[in-house]
Amino acid sequence: MFKDLLKTHLFPTSWCPGCGIGGIMAQLAMAMDEMGLNQSNSVVVGGIGCTGRMAGYFNLDSVYTLHGRTLPVAQGIKMVNPSLKVIIISGDGDLASIGGNHLIHALRRNVDLAVLCNNNEVYGLTGGQAGPTTPQGTPTVSSPDGSPYEPLNLQGLLKTGSRYFYARTTVYHQVHLKRCIKEAIQWPGFAFVDIASQCIENNGRRLGFKTGYEMLAMFRDKYKRAPDGVESLAPLEIGLVKRGEEQP
Amino acid sequence: MKRLVQGNEAVFAGAVKAGATYFAGYPISPSSEILLLAAQQAARSPDFHFLQAEDELAAINQVLGASLAGGKAFTATSGPGFTLMQEAIGWGHQAEVPCVVINVQRVGPGTGMPTMPAQGDILQSQYGSSGDYYPIVFYPNSVAECYRLTVAAFNAAEESLSPVVLLSDSFVGHLNETVDLEAMEVEVVARQRPPLGTGNRFFTGLVHDEEGRIRTADALFYQSWLGKVREKRDGVAARYPFYEHRERPGHDLIIAFGILSRVIAPLLDDFALFRPIRIFPPLVRELRSITQEYRRVIVLEANDGQYAQVVEGIVHRDVIRVSVVGGRFSAERVTTALKQALTSV
């Protein structure tokens, strides 16, 4: 039962009603259950932010690291015990901003990690500040006139090396999300799943959404499946691009 | 076999002796020899893991992860890198992760005077991270001590389940002395806690109770928790009451450590010496009783009075602060500084 992988006695979770993180947690637990991952072969590492708190709900050894430091901690774990499946769950701010340097280098080293990035385009836990993935022009509490910068191109960054795994999915597309998670965990190298997710309280309401569901419906309407085997995902396409699986 | 060994090399040999299997670090003089030795060790031994990190933030966090996964882990750095590691050292105390951090000090602040020796990170080693935490800090003054105290640092880390700091300086780190490391007998404390992948524990930098439940809104819990943390640290530190006392009744007492305690060797006919080897937690009982035997107490250090503050707070009397800063140490320079300080009292 996938619920055995969760500390359900700690529920309700600390996340706001309508948040997208719970939908990721459920799919991760189901994926792990289907893959036979458990206390004896897996570790979940979370970073600071609402998403990182997910680590504490998993019923196996987990680490809630400092802000931005999931990747180095996970890398230390993986080097000492390569047989452990190490799954990282964190937000776009943690992975791409404060932890950006580690992202570049974990990628360069092609460390065998599965990274699930809850990408809600905002710093949710600290109250809705602009982050590295906030679309240009989006108002946030720290960019009242709209974020002045282009967001980081995560796909482009992830594809800089000769071997890569980059998946984009959304919390609405639950079946696709689980498939991406499973493929990422199986990928023999650095795998990154970029999950469009909704932060209703500290982002959505400012943008005119009334409920988390309205944001999910927006994902349903806007995102389209990319054809299998494409080399690159267009904006608002879900799918995955990978290269170099055959190499050790 | 007796041979010439460098201080940094003895630190590395001590780490291996203590059972270290993981090193991550970022190159910084004057600590880099330790990183190079770790790289060589990993090339020789499949059981030893080495990672040249992308920066010091990564290095210390890789060490913390490696430790949780079951490896005895350490890093080595110098002042500016030590500063970058401070947040994670605090996390290691909160999450209870044993590891060893070696700081081969150089002149600061900032990039300072690379890589002249200094003792400017004394207070940083105790207070560098946010909040109240209680690190154990050792400071050797010889190559043989670099070896012994590195083993002690790993042992204390295991016993306290926390990062332990080994201070050095670029003089001690680059000192060459003839020693027989293989013949030195040391006790090694084995890892007790099962590694990651064996349970459902939650390792977190949030305040939590013994069952791993988060306790971030309970002031009284925090108060009692902090007291217990300190008590536990004191209990471990009590097993390492290292110091050196060279008595000279009727003379003044110099308190010095690290390289300066070696530089003053020619003066020790005229002064007593108290050398704390365990710098933190301070040797309160010893400092109080030994300083009482002397009319004047001088704290001699290569910074502007950092440990003197600590000593004054413990012995409740004024000490004479003698600072020898800027990295050039000699018996002449120290003698001049001492004379100036003693005549102006």
Side-chain angles (χ1 to χ4, degrees):
Chain A
M1 249 320 262
F2 81 91
K3 282 185 184 165
D4 297 338
L5 286 170
L6 296 171
K7 291 177 176 168
T8 49
H9 66 278
L10 298 178
F11 289 7
T13 67
S14 57
W15 303 311
C16 309
C19 172
I21 299 171
I24 299 173
M25 183 165 74
Q27 293 305 328
L28 173 57
M30 283 189 250
M32 290 175 72
D33 183 49
E34 289 166 23
M35 297 172 76
L37 302 186
N38 54 46
Q39 290 186 1
S40 67
N41 55 23
S42 316
V43 171
V44 172
V45 180
I48 297 287
C50 295
T51 319
R53 292 292 287 267
M54 199 196 294
Y57 296 120
F58 271 86
N59 190 26
L60 36 81
D61 282 340
S62 64
V63 190
Y64 186 50
T65 70
L66 283 169
H67 201 15
R69 313 299 162 222
T70 53
L71 290 167
V73 169
Q75 196 164 355
I77 295 169
K78 192 73 189 174
M79 283 179 79
V80 169
N81 188 350
S83 68
L84 279 178
K85 286 285 183 194
V86 183
I87 298 156
I88 290 169
I89 42 166
S90 200
D92 46 315
D94 186 77
L95 288 163
S97 184
I98 188 166
N101 195 29
H102 310 312
L103 180 58
I104 296 169
H105 290 277
L107 188 63
R108 174 173 70 90
R109 299 183 189 117
N110 197 29
V111 190
D112 185 10
L113 301 170
V115 183
L116 312 187
C117 175
N118 175 61
N119 187 345
N120 56 16
E121 303 182 340
V122 77
Y123 282 96
L125 185 64
T126 45
Q129 296 83 5
T133 52
T134 305
Q136 194 167 19
T138 302
T140 69
V141 294
S142 64
S143 60
D145 295 330
S147 177
Y149 313 114
E150 271 187 46
L152 195 64
N153 174 0
L154 281 172
Q155 178 182 206
L157 179 65
L158 265 290
K159 285 169 63 185
T160 49
S162 63
R163 292 183 288 178
Y164 53 79
F165 178 110
Y166 171 82
R168 189 192 293 136
T169 183
T170 88
V171 177
Y172 175 79
H173 300 84
Q174 290 266 299
V175 176
H176 186 256
L177 168 59
K178 187 168 77 179
R179 201 190 103 195
C180 291
I181 291 172
K182 287 170 89 165
E183 288 213 26
I185 293 172
Q186 278 159 353
W187 181 256
F190 190 78
F192 191 95
V193 186
D194 185 1
I195 307 163
S197 169
Q198 76 278 16
C199 174
I200 179 65
E201 292 302 332
N202 282 327
N203 190 32
R205 289 195 196 285
R206 194 178 306 106
L207 304 179
F209 294 96
K210 292 200 169 51
T211 64
Y213 178 74
E214 282 187 14
M215 297 184 82
L216 281 174
M218 176 265 290
F219 296 146
R220 176 194 65 203
D221 297 341
K222 275 193 171 174
Y223 281 86
K224 299 291 174 239
R225 281 285 288 271
D228 281 342
V230 291
E231 288 190 0
S232 192
L233 300 177
L236 300 175
E237 268 187 350
I238 61 171
L240 68 88
V241 289
K242 55 184 181 177
R243 198 172 121 183
E245 188 172 18
E246 67 286 350
Q247 298 175 40
Chain B
M1 191 184 71
K2 277 199 170 188
R3 61 185 179 95
L4 260 186
V5 178
Q6 194 202 52
N8 282 344
E9 188 185 350
V11 164
F12 185 78
V16 170
K17 179 72 187 176
T21 56
Y22 188 91
F23 178 96
Y26 187 78
I28 182 169
S29 301
S31 75
S32 298
E33 290 86 0
I34 300 172
L35 178 141
L36 301 187
L37 287 164
Q40 290 163 13
Q41 180 79 3
R44 275 194 305 267
S45 160
D47 299 329
F48 190 92
H49 308 284
F50 165 77
L51 185 62
Q52 183 175 325
E54 55 270 32
D55 55 34
E56 284 92 346
L57 307 177
I60 182 71
N61 282 283
Q62 283 152 350
V63 161
L64 292 165
S67 173
L68 286 170
K72 284 191 177 181
F74 70 122
T75 185
T77 186
S78 184
F82 190 53
T83 304
L84 285 172
M85 293 181 181
Q86 288 298 336
E87 185 193 23
I89 290 173
W91 187 89
H93 279 269
Q94 183 66 259
E96 299 187 278
V97 187
C99 65
V100 173
V101 179
I102 292 140
N103 176 9
V104 188
Q105 297 168 96
R106 64 189 221 186
V107 178
T111 314
M113 297 169 73
T115 56
M116 302 289 272
Q119 300 177 323
D121 303 337
I122 299 295
L123 290 182
Q124 189 186 190
S125 69
Q126 160 87 76
Y127 296 111
S129 199
S130 65
D132 290 307
Y133 66 108
Y134 306 104
I136 294 170
V137 182
F138 299 123
Y139 194 166
N141 81 345
S142 70
V143 170
E145 264 187 18
C146 282
Y147 180 79
R148 279 185 200 286
L149 290 177
T150 303
V151 177
F154 274 92
N155 290 347
E158 290 301 325
E159 290 167 348
S160 64
L161 290 178
S162 66
V164 168
V165 175
L166 184 85
L167 286 179
S168 176
D169 53 62
S170 67
F171 219 137
V172 167
H174 291 158
L175 194 62
N176 280 280
E177 293 185 294
T178 309
V179 289
D180 184 351
L181 296 182
E182 291 77 22
M184 287 170 67
E185 287 188 11
V186 289
E187 192 189 326
V188 170
V189 174
R191 173 62 55 93
Q192 299 293 320
R193 188 165 62 194
L196 290 177
T198 56
N200 63 350
R201 299 157 295 176
F202 182 42
F203 295 96
T204 174
L206 291 167
V207 173
H208 56 281
D209 61 25
E210 282 164 17
E211 279 77 49
R213 281 186 302 251
I214 291 170
R215 301 293 291 270
T216 51
D218 187 340
L220 293 179
F221 172 82
Y222 184 89
Q223 191 176 322
S224 112
W225 165 81
L226 190 64
K228 281 186 213 157
V229 170
R230 183 169 186 161
E231 207 175 295
K232 183 177 162 195
R233 187 281 313 261
D234 286 347
V236 174
R239 293 172 213 160
Y240 304 90
F242 302 151
Y243 64 92
E244 178 187 357
H245 179 204
R246 292 200 198 184
E247 299 180 39
R248 278 281 179 283
H251 290 78
D252 294 330
L253 174 72
I254 295 178
I255 296 177
F257 40 80
I259 191 57
L260 279 187
S261 64
R262 299 290 295 274
V263 171
I264 58 171
L267 311 179
L268 292 183
D269 285 339
D270 302 319
F271 292 93
L273 170 70
F274 179 74
R275 175 169 73 94
I277 297 171
R278 192 189 81 204
I279 297 283
F280 290 109
L283 296 149
V284 172
R285 208 176 45 223
E286 293 82 357
L287 277 167
R288 283 190 181 147
S289 66
I290 290 168
T291 53
Q292 273 174 10
E293 300 166 23
Y294 299 94
R295 194 171 66 84
R296 293 193 292 192
V297 174
I298 299 146
V299 179
L300 172 70
E301 51 191 330
N303 64 56
D304 197 10
Q306 294 187 21
Y307 208 63
Q309 293 180 37
V310 175
V311 173
E312 280 184 346
I314 289 166
V315 302
H316 305 305
R317 62 186 270 199
D318 288 339
V319 302
I320 299 165
R321 300 178 180 207
V322 180
S323 296
V324 184
V325 295
R328 292 239 180 258
F329 307 140
S330 63
E332 292 75 26
R333 203 172 157 217
V334 171
T335 310
T336 308
L338 275 171
K339 271 187 190 151
Q340 269 177 359
L342 292 174
T343 50
S344 65
V345 173

